[in-house]
Amino acid sequence: MGGPGPGRPRRADARRNIEALVEAATRLLAVDPDASMNEVARAAGVGRVTLYGHFGSRTALVAEVVDRAIAQTDEALAQLDLDGDPREALGRLLEATWQLTHRFGAVVVAASRALPPEQMRRAHEGLAVRVRGLLERGREAGRFRGDMPLEWQLGVVQAVLHGASAAVHRGEVAAEDAPWLVRETVLAALAA
Amino acid sequence: MGGPGPGRPRRADARRNIEALVEAATRLLAVDPDASMNEVARAAGVGRVTLYGHFGSRTALVAEVVDRAIAQTDEALAQLDLDGDPREALGRLLEATWQLTHRFGAVVVAASRALPPEQMRRAHEGLAVRVRGLLERGREAGRFRGDMPLEWQLGVVQAVLHGASAAVHRGEVAAEDAPWLVRETVLAALAA
């Protein structure tokens, strides 16, 4: 009778609220990188006090959204075939990364505004490890130029991917053109 | 006798304080993008109250530092010879831009953390106008590929320049290697 007791049910409520908040935040931030805490609480059907009880700040909520987006992205990247010619493999990796990035839309913009650069970099570890592996293999095979630092080439890949997100967000580039533009630009920049 | 009267001297004091604050902020931010308002006030030999009287927020101060850096940069870019072969001209423009960017060091990092993306974009108008002109001329002459949107190519130039600032700031790339890396990478990415 009455409200839930102190044990399990309350924890189950908390879990449900957290799920609803993260889901709503992901959905809103994907469209509007400036979506507010109030908008997220409203969309999740959760009170402000509860929202702030789970996420002490907007930054904490954005960080959680990003963590989950990265986990899903890593899972998808793990399915990719990155064997064979390193240029073709990098092309496949870039197109898949773009599709995943685009699924999360303006979350990337929200993240780059709210999170410190160090956190953004950690957010890209899964991609960075794979790109680095392909760069090493492709440089050795003479398929990528080897007269530039590998770290620089890795930075170029990330800069072009980020630039593409920003350009699509600003409406300068159509979303369906982005995978090709990213792929062509990166492969040209790295060509031996 | 006594303190300065209400007219000229006070305005002259204010001007001197503003100059000292902007100069100190530029110097500190060039080394540490997280330099605080307190550190700026101390370095300028000006009290906190006076600092906040002139610049209501750290963002306002960073914006002023950036405005001046841009004015100096534009003046230097206006001296460049951008005639002749568009690829060579773009190479000269990129190297000069890099040297100017590097002179202001971590100010670029501080700006990208403190200012909204729209303001950052306006900050690059002077460079963007020149790059756009060279891209148009180079595409027409078949020196740059014309199968990608010009806006995309402009974004790539800016992404690579920014990536270079960040990479030098993180210690991944030596400052003296950056001009060559920026030039080679951009020209390869744009090659017809």
Side-chain angles (χ1 to χ4, degrees), chain A residues 113 117-118 121 145 147-149 151-152 155-156 159-160 163-164 167 170 172-173 177-178 180-182 184-185 188-190, chain B residues 113 117-118 121 145 147-149 151-152 155-156 159-160 163-164 167 170 172-173 177-178 180-182 184-185 188-190:
Chain A
R113 287 185 197 171
E118 291 71 30
R121 289 190 75 211
R145 62 193 292 174
D147 61 345
M148 291 178 166
E151 288 303 317
W152 168 259
V156 168
V160 173
R170 290 194 302 257
E172 287 172 7
V173 164
D177 294 336
W180 180 80
L181 289 170
V182 168
E184 278 291 301
T185 302
L190 301 179
Chain B
R113 287 184 197 172
E118 290 72 29
R121 289 189 75 210
R145 62 192 292 174
D147 60 347
M148 290 178 166
E151 289 301 318
W152 168 259
V156 168
V160 172
R170 289 194 301 258
E172 289 172 5
V173 164
D177 294 336
W180 180 81
L181 288 170
V182 167
E184 278 292 300
T185 302
L190 301 180

Side-chain angles (χ1 to χ4, degrees), chain B residues 54-164:
Chain B
H54 291 304
F55 299 100
S57 66
R58 188 175 179 278
T59 302
L61 178 58
V62 172
E64 178 64 24
V65 167
V66 168
D67 279 354
R68 301 220 185 174
I70 291 161
Q72 287 178 43
T73 302
D74 272 353
E75 212 175 307
L77 292 184
Q79 314 295 322
L80 279 179
D81 169 20
L82 297 180
D83 294 336
D85 179 71
R87 284 181 66 83
E88 284 172 27
L90 182 60
R92 286 195 296 275
L93 179 56
L94 290 173
E95 292 208 6
T97 301
W98 171 261
Q99 302 299 353
L100 290 159
T101 306
H102 189 57
R103 187 207 291 172
F104 293 108
V107 166
V108 180
V109 179
S112 67
R113 287 184 197 172
L115 304 183
E118 290 72 29
Q119 215 158 332
M120 287 300 289
R121 289 189 75 210
R122 251 182 297 138
H124 293 99
E125 275 308 303
L127 175 62
V129 166
R130 291 177 174 86
V131 175
R132 191 189 297 276
L134 287 177
L135 284 172
E136 281 168 359
R137 198 153 64 77
R139 286 161 65 107
E140 213 153 296
R143 299 286 282 149
F144 297 129
R145 62 192 292 174
D147 60 347
M148 290 178 166
L150 192 143
E151 289 301 318
W152 168 259
Q153 292 174 321
L154 191 56
V156 168
V157 172
Q158 294 183 332
V160 172
L161 277 166
H162 270 246

Side-chain angles (χ1 to χ4, degrees), chain B residues 4-19 54:
Chain B
R8 290 254 170 102
R10 215 167 254 181
R11 260 183 277 141
D13 277 359
R15 261 201 308 276
R16 256 197 308 275
N17 283 338
I18 290 172
E19 287 310 312
H54 291 304

Side-chain angles (χ1 to χ4, degrees), chain A residues 28 44 64 132 176:
Chain A
L28 293 182
E64 177 65 24
R132 190 189 298 276
E176 64 264 32

